[in-house]
Amino acid sequence: MKIAVFPNLNNKGVKELTGEICTKLNELEIEFTVAPCNDNEELAKEPLFPSQNELIESHDIVIAVGGDGTTLNVAKAASFYDKLALGINAGRLGFMSGLERDELDYLKHLKDGNFEVEKRMMINAQIETDDVTKSYTCLNDAVITRGDLARLIDISVKSNGRYISNNRADGLIVSTPTGSTAYSLAAGGPVVSPDNSCFVLTPICPHSLVNRSIVLSSEGELEITVNSDKNNIAYMSIDGAQSVPIYSNSVVKLTKSDRITRLIKIKPDNFYEMLNKKLLERRY
């Protein structure tokens, strides 16, 4: 077994935590490689891990060290090679992380195979503009928002060709169950256990007293169109990492992806126990 470790050295405490992880893997006699990380401000626009794909392809398991953003990006990249991913939290919430910094003894289960694999649904997002179609994969969410100006946009949603809703709002979040504890939750959306398969639609600051989140089956196709004035082009954000313009003649189509992200569950805690620890019992 070979493990690739991806430490986000831009996060506080990650360098020290990575050293502890390497020590533990050495004790367990597990072969591993630590990915180089761009932690220089001058390289901010470059990929965080320049050799990410090569290392994922040549290793059996990937470990992301950092916050949820690091785990999200590394785990999603691992899904394209059908590799297992484990997040070790060095940040704040760490909803996607399998371990905290004081739980490294659990790494022994990577060697003895005493762990479960959680299969996380992803979204395939297509933006069709005239004769051009661009495709993206989302593990957390696809977020449609207004442009630079503080003007509302009109967002129409259909499911399998049937009208679902029309929102006049700052935007709309379409999340997976995994993403339901991220931006969607902050915008008032429901928490959905990640072992489900569905779309969660949550409007952002809707200009209405009755707009609420909607949970839809992932077996259908969502079709979204946006109306905004010519000086206020809307955008779609893919997992908070890519921003793509959406014009009035664009059609956004969202379906359940054929790919899945496979996260290692190495502790006995279930999702709801973790939810209590991460959110309900937090102290400021």
Side-chain angles (χ1 to χ4, degrees):
M1 179 177 60
K2 296 170 63 179
I3 293 177
V5 181
F6 294 88
N8 186 350
L9 299 179
N10 296 284
N11 289 5
K12 183 179 179 181
V14 167
K15 184 176 181 180
E16 294 77 9
L17 177 56
T18 302
E20 295 174 23
I21 293 169
C22 293
T23 298
K24 181 61 66 174
L25 293 177
N26 276 322
E27 290 175 1
L28 295 168
E29 298 182 341
I30 296 175
E31 184 179 351
F32 67 91
T33 304
V34 178
C37 173
N38 283 330
D39 58 344
N40 188 314
E41 290 185 2
E42 296 178 359
L43 300 174
K45 293 184 179 181
E46 298 296 321
L48 182 61
F49 303 109
S51 56
Q52 176 174 279
N53 291 341
E54 292 85 351
L55 286 175
I56 291 174
E57 188 174 18
S58 60
H59 289 71
D60 305 301
I61 293 175
V62 300
I63 293 178
V65 188
D68 277 335
T70 307
T71 301
L72 172 71
N73 293 329
V74 172
K76 184 165 75 170
S79 73
F80 285 83
Y81 298 92
D82 199 28
K83 298 299 176 72
L84 300 177
L86 171 67
I88 299 181
N89 185 33
R92 287 167 289 184
L93 285 177
F95 267 112
M96 294 187 65
S97 300
L99 293 176
E100 300 295 323
R101 60 171 67 241
D102 59 347
E103 298 174 330
L104 299 186
D105 283 342
Y106 281 102
L107 290 175
K108 64 185 179 183
H109 295 312
L110 295 180
K111 189 170 184 178
D112 62 29
N114 186 20
F115 59 83
E116 298 177 16
V117 177
E118 294 184 336
K119 297 178 180 180
R120 301 292 183 93
M121 166 198 159
M122 295 197 290
I123 293 173
N124 179 57
Q126 289 189 331
I127 302 178
E128 299 178 357
T129 305
D130 296 328
D131 295 327
V132 178
T133 299
K134 297 181 179 179
S135 297
Y136 307 89
T137 302
C138 316
L139 174 53
N140 252 11
D141 48 39
V143 181
I144 296 172
T145 57
R146 57 177 172 79
D148 296 332
L149 302 178
R151 299 177 185 174
L152 299 177
I153 55 178
D154 291 301
I155 307 169
S156 178
V157 182
K158 294 180 180 179
S159 177
N160 292 333
R162 300 183 69 112
Y163 170 80
I164 295 295
S165 67
N166 188 61
N167 299 285
R168 187 161 178 79
D170 278 356
L172 178 71
I173 304 165
V174 182
S175 83
T176 63
T178 298
S180 71
T181 55
Y183 191 6
S184 178
L185 176 64
V191 173
V192 180
S193 176
D195 57 358
N196 286 287
S197 181
C198 59
F199 299 120
V200 181
L201 278 62
T202 303
I204 304 169
C205 297
H207 195 245
S208 169
L209 296 177
V210 295
N211 282 49
R212 293 293 184 268
S213 295
I214 301 174
V215 179
L216 296 172
S217 168
S218 61
E219 297 307 312
E221 178 186 73
L222 298 183
E223 184 177 302
I224 301 175
T225 55
V226 181
N227 288 321
S228 57
D229 61 65
K230 64 180 181 180
N231 296 318
N232 192 36
I233 297 172
Y235 290 85
M236 183 166 73
S237 173
I238 309 298
D239 283 336
Q242 294 172 280
S243 184
V244 188
I246 300 176
Y247 303 98
S248 293
N249 63 335
S250 298
V251 177
V252 178
K253 294 183 177 180
L254 304 176
T255 55
K256 179 181 177 181
S257 175
D258 292 333
R259 300 182 185 278
I260 58 170
T261 293
R262 299 196 298 159
L263 296 180
I264 291 174
K265 182 180 181 298
I266 204 167
K267 292 191 300 183
D269 299 23
N270 67 31
F271 173 74
Y272 299 102
E273 290 171 330
M274 185 185 71
L275 187 68
N276 276 288
K277 291 179 182 178
K278 298 289 185 179
L279 282 186
L280 302 183
E281 297 177 3
R282 288 181 69 196
R283 295 293 182 266
Y284 295 90

